Amino acid sequence: MSEPTQKYSITMPRDIAEAARARSGPSGLSAYVAAAVSRQIERDNLNELIAVAEAEHGPIADEEVQSLRDQLQQARRQQTHGETNAA
């Protein structure tokens, strides 16, 4: 069962609305916009969590961020390599 919906009127630049309409596919513009707003809310929530963590523990150094990105890339390469060998 899906969430209850309500109709809203929003204003946005025409070029953005037309680009969204062109990409919305069979689910329609409303579903496309709802998904975009949902992703933005997730980002906002993550930014709030980061702000709280940085207030408590201090900011994360650029080197730490890069190290974690490198680890993630390595894990992805290993996963892709492992999936290729498993087939």
Side-chain angles (χ1 to χ4, degrees), residues 5 38 45-46 57-58 63-64 68 78 80 82:
T5 61
S38 179
N45 288 339
L46 286 172
H57 303 287
E63 296 80 20
E64 292 176 282
L68 292 171
Q78 289 174 347
T80 300

Side-chain angles (χ1 to χ4, degrees), residues 4 11 29:
T11 303
L29 182 60

Side-chain angles (χ1 to χ4, degrees), residues 10-33:
I10 62 168
T11 303
M12 70 175 80
R14 182 176 293 154
D15 60 334
I16 293 173
E18 291 307 316
R21 185 181 304 281
R23 289 171 173 77
S24 64
S27 61
L29 182 60
S30 291
Y32 190 87
V33 171

Side-chain angles (χ1 to χ4, degrees), residues 22-78:
R23 289 171 173 77
S24 64
S27 61
L29 182 60
S30 291
Y32 190 87
V33 171
V37 171
S38 179
R39 283 190 303 275
Q40 185 61 49
I41 291 169
E42 288 173 358
R43 287 184 181 121
D44 293 345
N45 288 339
L46 286 172
N47 285 334
E48 289 172 8
L49 286 173
I50 290 168
V52 168
E54 286 184 341
E56 186 174 334
H57 303 287
I60 299 172
D62 290 340
E63 296 80 20
E64 292 176 282
V65 172
Q66 188 58 51
S67 174
L68 292 171
R69 285 183 176 148
D70 292 344
Q71 290 176 38
L72 181 59
Q73 283 182 330
Q74 182 179 2
R76 286 179 175 158
R77 281 192 301 269
Q78 289 174 347

